[in-house]
Amino acid sequence: MELGDRGMTLIEVVVAAAVVMTVVIAASNAVIAVNGASARAAGRSAAEAGVASELEELRSLPLVSTGSPGPASADVVSSIFPHADPGRDTPDALFAAEPRAGCPAGTFFTIRQVPGGCLTIAATFVAGTAAGWTAVSADRLNGYDARRAVELPSAALLVRVSFAWRAGARTGAVTRTMVVANRPDGPCRIAVPAPPGAA
């Protein structure tokens, strides 16, 4: 059937419709890809900011409080390694006597649900050696309690902060580590225990 000069043939109409559909599908896929990339970028950006904020807050605290010990102390050790007693664990704050989540035995995990994902702080007491930082043995930590301890298991903590984020169907994780160590001339100074009988 021919339409002559007045119109297109049926085949031309079908071909034109197919071309239009191809263009629409390609444009839709491009929009979906851009939206997915934007969601990933936003999720990662929020995670980076969350991790950086947490590390900055820890850097601003002394390693241990110079005041009286207790849960109200604002220091790194009390905040992220309060004890080595599995009997006091909660789902959001726990001591791992065995290796866990890529961390050595003797690591304390603090888990917080935050907007956009889950923030995990893994703290491990470490000692400096010729080969680098080495985790303090979990056996040596047995019974450690920041509220009553007069001596730390070591003068440094390896801190790993991870933010597992979700933005729609997109997920990812950002992880950063740092060592918080005793600095006699700075904010991470370890308080010298008072002599016996001192007020």
Side-chain angles (χ1 to χ4, degrees):
M1 171 180 172
E2 287 189 20
L3 298 175
D5 293 335
R6 292 181 298 158
M8 299 188 296
T9 65
L10 182 59
I11 293 175
E12 290 172 325
V13 170
V14 170
V15 169
V19 169
V20 169
M21 287 303 294
T22 301
V23 170
V24 168
I25 290 169
S28 296
N29 287 341
V31 168
I32 290 168
V34 167
N35 287 342
S38 296
R40 278 193 303 277
R44 182 166 186 83
S45 178
E48 292 276 5
V51 168
S53 174
E54 190 65 39
L55 290 174
E56 192 56 38
E57 183 177 339
L58 290 172
R59 281 188 193 101
S60 73
L61 297 174
L63 183 64
V64 293
S65 177
T66 56
S68 56
S73 299
D75 60 61
V76 174
V77 172
S78 295
S79 298
I80 61 174
F81 206 123
H83 65 80
D85 178 4
R88 292 173 48 196
D89 288 350
T90 68
D92 297 332
L94 57 118
F95 174 73
E98 301 296 327
R100 176 184 170 139
C103 294
T107 298
F108 193 92
F109 292 88
T110 305
I111 303 161
R112 279 186 257 159
Q113 296 302 320
V114 295
C118 178
L119 184 76
T120 303
I121 303 169
T124 310
F125 277 108
V126 292
T129 68
W133 295 106
T134 302
V136 170
S137 162
D139 293 338
R140 185 170 161 206
L141 297 170
N142 190 25
Y144 170 76
D145 185 335
R147 296 174 302 180
R148 294 188 291 274
V150 293
E151 184 179 341
L152 293 176
S154 78
L157 276 172
L158 175 65
V159 180
R160 184 184 80 173
V161 179
S162 301
F163 191 123
W165 57 269
R166 176 179 291 280
R170 309 291 181 183
T171 60
V174 172
T175 301
R176 300 286 179 266
T177 59
M178 73 172 182
V179 173
V180 180
N182 175 29
R183 295 194 334 241
D185 60 339
C188 291
R189 187 172 179 175
I190 296 179
V192 177

